[in-house]
Amino acid sequence: MLDVLQEAGYVPDLSVGCSFGALNAAAAAVPGTGQVADLSDMWHAIAGDSPFSSPTQAIVRQLGRRTAKSTAEWRETIAVGVPAAHFDELTHPVHVVASDLEAGETTMLHGGSLPAALAAATAMPLILPPVEHDKRLLVDGSFTEGMPVHRALALGARSIVVLDVGGTTVPEPEVGDLRWWQVGATAYSHLVRAQVGPDVTESASQVPIVVLSTDAGNILDFSDPEAMFDAGRVAAGAIASLADTEEAGLYGIPVGFEEYPPFEPLVRQHLKPAAMPSSPQGE
């Protein structure tokens, strides 16, 4: 998705990344011309790392162990795609979303050590340990905020492009055959998606929000990055057909929200004809 947007000349003033999307947001703001290539290398490294080639199975394995994958090891993997030590080295402001494990609330990180912040934002329990930051234990951001568009709005965004790869569905005939850890992963996916409707629709009443969305693959299976890249490019290609507009509203909807009660009527209330915020530069 980032590759397509860069090719089309879209340059963000601000990026907000949640969970593993924080890695993509930060990588796209690293100075230089190889950001997407470096990011591709990082995702291949993640795919080759057994805890992430199939996280749900990794969780099962970790249940019998005392420790998860170390934060130091994970930071080495992150550095492949995000070769920057501090937020102030990035080309534009980047804010990443983590979850306070004790308080159960969202924590926004936007200064200091970039690897530490990214490790916190992606600390999926049982696979990665919580990250201590300012005397708080932080874990994956999606536990408290799966699509933080209102955070971008509060930071001054005049239009928002959402890169959504969180859609995961299971055909009804296959549900009965799911193993218990697959049931848990699917339930987690629905938990994350359930947060999205009110946040997106409330923000869309104030600014244009374009949603580029795909349900290809599984949010807890990173074993085939090339297939995910291809699906992302197809989904992001929709941006080329959108006309300019400055009218607030929702342009495109997250996959699954066509039939996702009770948010489907709420989302459609703000849905606009295919259109796009004006000025691809600096929005």
Side-chain angles (χ1 to χ4, degrees), residues 3 9 15 26-27 40 47 68-69 87 89 91 119 125 133 184 213:
D3 206 7
S15 295
S40 173
K69 181 180 178 67
F87 278 89
E89 297 177 25
T91 58
H133 185 277
S213 183

Side-chain angles (χ1 to χ4, degrees), residues 175-215:
V175 172
D177 296 327
L178 295 179
R179 304 294 294 272
W180 68 265
W181 64 85
Q182 294 171 316
V183 171
T186 303
Y188 167 68
S189 173
H190 286 305
L191 174 66
V192 173
R193 302 301 276 176
Q195 306 167 11
V196 171
D199 191 358
V200 170
T201 52
E202 180 181 351
S203 299
S205 68
Q206 302 178 60
V207 299
I209 297 181
V210 173
V211 178
L212 305 175
S213 183
T214 175
D215 63 352

Side-chain angles (χ1 to χ4, degrees), residues 15-263:
S15 295
V16 180
C18 174
S19 187
F20 284 78
L23 305 179
N24 299 337
V30 173
T33 58
Q35 302 100 317
V36 172
D38 290 342
L39 189 56
S40 173
D41 290 341
M42 183 192 70
W43 277 105
H44 277 285
I46 292 173
D49 198 346
S50 58
F52 297 103
S53 60
S54 182
T56 51
Q57 294 184 31
I59 288 172
V60 175
R61 291 193 297 270
Q62 294 293 357
L63 288 175
R65 302 179 183 178
R66 294 180 61 86
T67 59
K69 181 180 178 67
S70 76
T71 300
E73 291 174 316
W74 178 227
R75 285 175 60 159
E76 290 178 1
T77 302
I78 290 173
V80 174
V82 191
H86 300 281
F87 278 89
D88 57 12
E89 297 177 25
L90 303 178
T91 58
H92 61 263
V94 173
H95 296 246
V96 301
V97 179
S99 301
D100 186 315
L101 186 59
E102 181 176 3
E105 61 187 17
T106 298
T107 297
M108 300 292 291
L109 305 174
H110 55 87
S113 170
L114 182 59
L118 295 177
T122 56
M124 189 182 298
L126 293 178
I127 295 180
L128 292 162
V131 173
E132 186 173 356
H133 185 277
D134 289 341
K135 299 182 179 180
R136 293 172 297 170
L137 287 179
L138 303 181
V139 295
D140 191 289
S142 65
F143 281 92
T144 54
E145 205 149 342
M147 191 179 290
V149 292
H150 79 283
R151 302 286 178 176
L153 185 62
L155 290 166
R158 293 171 293 164
S159 63
I160 299 172
V161 178
V162 176
L163 309 186
D164 171 43
V165 295
T168 299
T169 58
V170 178
E172 186 173 351
E174 297 179 14
V175 172
D177 296 327
L178 295 179
R179 304 294 294 272
W180 68 265
W181 64 85
Q182 294 171 316
V183 171
T186 303
Y188 167 68
S189 173
H190 286 305
L191 174 66
V192 173
R193 302 301 276 176
Q195 306 167 11
V196 171
D199 191 358
V200 170
T201 52
E202 180 181 351
S203 299
S205 68
Q206 302 178 60
V207 299
I209 297 181
V210 173
V211 178
L212 305 175
S213 183
T214 175
D215 63 352
N218 187 302
I219 63 169
L220 292 179
D221 183 353
F222 310 140
S223 60
D224 192 350
E226 289 299 328
M228 291 193 291
F229 297 161
D230 290 343
R233 290 191 66 88
V234 170
I239 205 165
S241 64
L242 299 174
D244 290 349
T245 184
E246 295 183 353
E247 182 183 1
L250 195 57
Y251 300 87
I253 57 178
V255 167
F257 274 73
E258 302 92 335
E259 300 176 354
Y260 198 91
F263 300 128

